[in-house]
Amino acid sequence: MSNAPVTHIDLAAFAADPYPVLAQMRAKTPITFVPELGATLLTRRDDIHREEKRIEVFSSVQPGGLMEQIMGLNMMRRDGEPHGQERRALFPALSPRTVADHWAPQFEQIVTARLDQLAPLGGCDLVRDFAMPVSGAALCAMTGLTCMTPKEMDSASQQMIDAIANYAANPQIEATGLAASTRVDDAIAECLPQVRAVPDPSILSVLDRAEMPLPSIAANIKVIIGGGQNEPRDAIAGLLWALLAHPDQRALITSGDATLSDAFSEYARLVAPIQMAPRMVARRDTVAGVTFEPGDRVFLMFGSACRDEDHFANADQFDLSRDTSAAIPFGAGPHFCAGAAASRSLVAHYAVPMILERFPQLRLAGPVPFAGWAFRGPTSVPVTW
């Protein structure tokens, strides 16, 4: 185990709001072992930005880890050339050009259809009624698992995500995550003949044409479902909350002094939907006076890095005039989020601007609670229009 100073946390309080504790860690013990998580946390932006790239020490390879147990061995748990091979195989499905030419028109159709359904209601919960079905429908299309419904996609994503963050070893969470993984396997088996008969740019079709083995296809689709549903769902609902709760910042977009793309970047900095990435120490090494031993579990806390006071003044504020170039909500190393272009397109180019245009009187109608320390977002955003 590393010789890092020890910090104890209250898990429930940390899940409700990790930022005060993370700020204390950055100030006093920026590299610290947390017994309740069984991991050493890196909390400062520059440490994470530097060490994430040193895969020879802080490796993504974690044999028998929670992600591999639930999803199978995927590119997120590979380093070097094995990771590169699978990432290159995936690229044609999620490249910026594919997003612009193929997925963006579908995003527009998905959002339009959902807004048509919501319009007569006069109000809704943006998480449950807008962000979840929109991101779910987009992910069904992009993965090629069109035999799943958006609700099934969201459920499978959340249950697998909960299971791979189940560091407290809750057996019910594990069982539910494994059941969700099996449901995705069944959907792949059902949809694979379709994309083989009529190939398309979907992830399932692209990986199959790259002759990736079926277990690897399934594992990589599952990890994409995990991040590809939660992250845009939480970013859509969260960004809308931020704009509605901060009318002065929204006014900067109206005046042309900022863009929705700027707002997306600032929200992802303020509330990184993916708050951390786990690593396993591959060889003995020392960082900032802390010595790590092989087998140590390390968490790179992206959500903390994005509020690092050394880079962001008034880091707890939503500020569209801010330079967000130092923020790393999608990572900074070889595992930089492969779906970042698709997420930005869906959130900032379609879902958020289209609902604001369709419902110009959109306003918050109640409190907006947030939750999560590994993955974070609003659990409810009640609105009326």
Side-chain angles (χ1 to χ4, degrees):
M1 190 175 71
S2 76
N3 66 341
V6 174
T7 301
H8 288 279
I9 64 170
D10 179 298
L11 282 174
F14 197 60
D17 184 1
Y19 296 117
V21 173
L22 290 170
Q24 292 176 9
M25 291 177 181
R26 288 194 301 272
K28 298 179 180 179
T29 53
I31 301 178
T32 184
F33 179 74
V34 178
E36 291 79 7
L37 299 176
T40 300
L41 278 56
L42 273 64
T43 61
R44 285 183 179 168
R45 184 266 181 196
D46 289 348
D47 288 341
I48 296 168
H49 187 267
R50 179 184 65 249
E51 302 306 327
E52 186 186 8
K53 300 177 178 66
R54 293 208 302 144
I55 59 174
E56 71 278 7
V57 177
F58 298 103
S59 175
S60 295
V61 178
Q62 300 172 31
L66 288 174
M67 179 177 282
E68 189 172 334
Q69 291 177 38
I70 299 299
M71 297 177 169
L73 181 57
N74 57 70
M75 68 181 72
M76 290 294 290
R77 290 296 173 264
R78 298 183 189 273
D79 282 325
E81 183 55 20
H83 169 260
Q85 287 178 350
E86 294 194 347
R87 193 178 180 97
R88 288 192 295 273
L90 173 66
F91 182 76
L94 295 176
S95 71
R97 173 166 291 184
T98 303
V99 170
D101 294 347
H102 187 79
W103 299 124
Q106 295 195 42
F107 294 165
E108 184 174 17
Q109 293 172 8
I110 288 166
V111 176
T112 298
R114 190 60 192 158
L115 292 176
D116 288 345
Q117 294 173 324
L118 291 176
L121 303 181
C124 73
D125 178 348
L126 287 177
V127 177
R128 181 192 65 217
D129 302 318
F130 182 61
M132 184 278 281
V134 163
S135 57
L139 194 56
C140 288
M142 288 189 292
T143 58
L145 301 185
T146 53
C147 55
M148 295 181 71
T149 67
K151 186 174 182 180
E152 290 170 339
M153 185 65 75
D154 185 77
S155 175
S157 173
Q158 191 63 57
Q159 289 166 358
M160 289 191 295
I161 285 295
D162 289 345
I164 68 172
N166 183 29
Y167 295 104
N170 182 309
Q172 183 57 51
I173 293 175
E174 179 185 4
T176 302
L178 288 170
S181 181
T182 298
R183 291 200 302 276
V184 175
D185 287 331
D186 293 341
I188 290 172
E190 181 177 344
C191 294
L192 190 55
Q194 301 170 20
V195 298
R196 283 179 172 170
V198 184
D200 61 28
S202 72
I203 294 164
L204 179 59
S205 183
V206 164
L207 294 183
D208 184 57
R209 294 201 304 276
E211 299 183 345
M212 183 178 287
L214 185 57
S216 295
I217 291 176
N220 282 303
I221 285 179
K222 288 171 190 175
V223 79
I224 289 165
I225 287 173
Q229 172 67 2
N230 284 34
E231 187 275 329
R233 179 197 68 198
D234 294 347
I236 290 168
L239 178 53
L240 284 166
W241 159 79
L243 293 171
L244 295 175
H246 301 84
D248 58 324
Q249 297 303 305
R250 185 178 175 185
L252 295 176
I253 298 174
T254 304
S255 67
D257 293 315
T259 67
L260 273 170
S261 186
D262 296 330
F264 175 85
S265 296
E266 170 62 356
Y267 175 76
R269 180 207 65 81
L270 181 71
V271 186
I274 300 174
Q275 289 270 307
M276 75 88 170
R279 296 291 186 264
M280 190 73 74
V281 175
R283 64 168 171 80
R284 197 171 194 266
D285 199 87
T286 299
V287 177
V290 174
T291 299
F292 293 89
E293 302 292 346
D296 284 352
R297 179 189 291 162
V298 174
F299 291 166
L300 306 177
M301 303 301 292
F302 296 141
S304 176
C306 288
R307 294 198 184 197
D308 190 327
E309 298 80 2
D310 287 345
H311 291 272
F312 308 106
N314 301 313
D316 295 337
Q317 295 181 11
F318 181 68
D319 181 2
L320 297 191
S321 66
R322 184 191 308 279
D323 179 2
T324 61
S325 59
I328 50 173
F330 296 107
H335 287 275
F336 180 85
C337 178
S343 178
R344 183 177 292 273
S345 175
L346 176 62
V347 177
H349 300 164
Y350 294 97
V352 171
M354 288 175 68
I355 193 173
L356 292 175
E357 181 178 0
R358 183 71 173 270
F359 304 141
Q361 300 303 315
L362 189 70
R363 61 187 183 275
L364 294 173
V368 177
F370 282 71
W373 65 268
F375 302 86
R376 186 165 181 83
T379 58
S380 176
V381 183
V383 294
T384 60
W385 54 83

